[in-house]
Amino acid sequence: MTPLELCNETGLRLAVLPFGATLCSLQVPVGNGRREVLLGCAPADYPRQQGWLGAVAGRFANRIGGAYLAYGGEAWWLDANQAPHCLHGGRDGFHRRPWQRLAQEADRLRLGLLSPDGDQGFPGRLEVQLEYRLEGWELVVEFRAQCDKPTPVSLTSHAYFNLDGGGDVRDHRLLLRADHYLPSRPDGIPLAPAPVQGVFDLRRGRRLGRDWLSHPQQAQAGGYDHCFLNHGEGQDWLARLESSDGRLAMEVITNQPSLQLYSGNGLGGTPDRNGGHYADHAGLCLEAQQVPDSPNRPELGNPWLLPGDSYHHLTHYRFIPL
């Protein structure tokens, strides 16, 4: 597998594999050099790694409890790849598919995927287009999708970031403008929204490793693996991540209703680019998405896409040399 490469006048360099629409490298100018800010592995290792490393998660990112859907008097059983639940669309979800290259310019790439009716148990045929763009200091991720039957849709990039270019991501500082998050059961299924507190109150920014595992929810998950609710309008940044050396920051702007913060608690043993393996917490994910488990829980939102409507996800990752 050969990555497709993009670059722009700012000096951002992006590499993408059509397999899984995978972001496998992003280099950002820092000082007189370039810094690799994405975790990745050798192209041949992507099909066997189990961490969704840089790939698109779909048809529905995150968990659907019981791997079961009910809508309009009909019901469907999904692939229970994290038994008894469905995680990231099933074991052969969008992260395992060869996406079609539809168009490419120097600084942008458009990919397409057709998901048939019954794919991993999901109802309806779904046509997806994804564009990666480099705009100034930003990586822009934009999804659009249409269906022919009602189906829940939540697509996200499962990119792992490390703004230091290596080391433990818990030394990063994160500011997250969310007043509420979703605590979860031990199996990862979310409970009702709760006010942020302790290590989950990131509104003023904190080093991620500070008071590590001091909250019962964090101890249960082995770190952060929680959904934060976005009550903004998508016009200003929701999250700001800063490298431990203070030389690079990244802001996340999104139109999605939630952001999943995952601190790479299960990364240990995942292949890296150099023939070795990553340790736990080598990178973190900031996954803009629909609220997990919402297809059967309307109090968490409505992720169902209907025929004639269009799904639209727009997320900007803005890099700021400091």
Side-chain angles (χ1 to χ4, degrees):
M1 295 187 289
T2 303
L4 305 173
E5 297 183 351
L6 307 178
C7 62
N8 72 352
E9 71 286 347
T10 304
L12 297 183
R13 294 181 178 178
L14 180 69
V16 181
L17 279 177
F19 178 82
T22 299
L23 297 174
C24 51
S25 173
L26 177 58
Q27 296 182 10
V28 178
V30 177
N32 295 322
R34 298 180 185 277
R35 184 171 293 186
E36 177 61 68
V37 298
L38 288 181
L39 270 57
C41 60
D45 287 333
Y46 279 100
R48 67 180 182 86
Q49 56 85 26
Q50 300 296 315
W52 279 268
L53 205 62
V56 167
R59 178 179 306 195
F60 196 88
N62 217 309
R63 294 166 180 86
I64 297 177
Y68 174 82
L69 294 174
Y71 185 89
E74 296 187 70
W76 303 266
W77 289 100
L78 309 176
D79 177 54
N81 60 319
Q82 194 180 70
H85 312 304
C86 181
L87 175 65
H88 293 328
R91 73 195 66 197
D92 291 317
F94 292 1
H95 66 297
R96 295 291 186 194
R97 305 295 172 81
W99 289 60
Q100 180 183 3
R101 178 169 55 175
L102 301 178
Q104 182 175 358
E105 299 177 30
D107 60 358
R108 63 196 59 210
L109 172 67
R110 192 165 77 250
L111 301 170
L113 182 70
L114 174 61
S115 175
D117 186 12
D119 190 1
Q120 308 301 294
F122 285 90
R125 181 177 186 265
L126 187 72
E127 296 185 24
V128 182
Q129 288 198 14
L130 161 61
E131 186 167 76
Y132 293 127
R133 300 192 298 274
L134 300 177
E135 297 182 349
W137 286 95
E138 295 185 350
L139 165 63
V140 182
V141 179
E142 186 168 23
F143 295 95
R144 296 185 185 273
Q146 294 82 35
C147 64
D148 64 358
K149 295 179 183 177
T151 189
V153 180
S154 180
L155 308 175
T156 195
S157 171
H158 207 285
Y160 290 86
F161 293 95
N162 186 315
L163 301 188
D164 287 326
D168 193 319
V169 79
R170 290 174 294 181
D171 291 327
H172 285 46
R173 179 178 174 85
L174 179 64
L175 194 157
L176 214 168
R177 291 169 165 168
D179 297 326
H180 292 83
Y181 82 112
L182 293 181
S184 62
R185 304 184 328 205
D187 60 1
I189 297 299
L191 301 169
V196 294
Q197 60 178 343
V199 298
F200 291 96
D201 188 352
L202 298 161
R203 291 172 295 183
R204 295 181 180 177
R206 63 184 292 137
R207 188 177 66 84
L208 288 171
R210 178 183 159 201
D211 301 324
W212 187 251
L213 304 187
S214 62
H215 192 288
Q217 276 289 312
Q218 199 183 53
Q220 173 182 278
Y224 292 101
D225 191 8
H226 294 81
C227 174
F228 289 78
L229 301 182
N230 180 14
H231 295 301
E233 299 298 324
Q235 298 174 354
D236 200 359
W237 56 267
L238 174 61
R240 179 184 170 97
L241 184 68
E242 296 180 1
S243 64
S244 68
D245 66 0
R247 300 186 65 195
L248 184 64
M250 181 184 78
E251 295 173 348
V252 182
I253 305 99
T254 186
N255 67 353
Q256 294 301 285
S258 76
L259 193 71
Q260 184 84 7
L261 168 59
Y262 176 53
S263 54
N265 315 324
L267 264 175
T270 302
D272 65 18
R273 293 187 180 89
N274 303 313
H277 296 87
Y278 287 113
D280 288 346
H281 318 301
L284 65 77
C285 300
L286 293 167
E287 305 164 64
Q289 58 188 237
Q290 294 291 314
V291 178
D293 204 33
S294 58
N296 296 320
R297 296 168 62 185
E299 73 275 12
L300 295 179
N302 180 12
W304 286 84
L305 180 65
L306 304 181
D309 292 339
S310 180
Y311 169 87
H312 182 223
H313 169 149
L314 180 62
T315 297
H316 296 248
Y317 298 95
R318 177 189 298 149
F319 295 92
I320 306 166
L322 301 175

